[in-house]
Amino acid sequence: MDTGDLSVKQGFYLGAGLWDRLLWRPVILTVAQSRLRLTDKADRILLDAAAPEVSARFSFFGMMHLSHGGRRYILNREGASWSSSFSQRQQEELKAAGMPIPKLAGGSGGGEGGGILDALDAIAALGDAVDAAERLADGGSLRRNWTPILTAIGCRVEARGR
């Protein structure tokens, strides 16, 4: 398998800003054919870009920040208690990919996201990325989970935070 064959989906809550959790909404991040695609409940494409055009960093608060074309996308595995739920179509898409449905604060909703791999070294990048993709639903920090995947497909990753 090469990086072009790597395919991953995970549900997140997309935030308008770090502290404005009123506007966090359910989205699905798909990595396929060395591209990142972010879609919302209405199937609108919020981000569709080749991996080398996207940069990522991970905050101390456990969020993933993607940047592309001057826009920033703040992704969190948990929504606020008043955030909208994932649509039936989104839930089916995540279940078909073997992924849990992200929960809302206070424990409502289903499942938890995550994964458990440390950053890749250059030689084992692809093998570790495939392992990380297979373990996304197992829990763990976003940084350990997504750094191997994003690095393997060519994103610029600032691996700071937790």
Side-chain angles (χ1 to χ4, degrees), residues 101-148:
I101 310 306
K103 63 183 180 177
L104 299 175
S108 61
E112 298 176 19
I116 58 165
L117 286 177
D118 292 323
L120 300 172
D121 64 23
I123 297 171
L126 182 57
D128 286 347
V130 170
D131 290 344
E134 291 172 354
R135 296 179 187 180
L136 279 174
D138 292 342
S141 80
L142 284 177
R143 179 187 57 81
R144 286 190 311 239
N145 177 30
W146 278 93
T147 297

Side-chain angles (χ1 to χ4, degrees), residues 32-51:
Q33 300 173 346
S34 296
R35 295 187 71 79
L36 285 89
R37 182 179 209 142
L38 194 62
T39 55
D40 68 6
K41 282 175 83 162
D43 285 331
R44 285 184 298 245
I45 299 169
L46 307 174
L47 168 69
D48 185 15

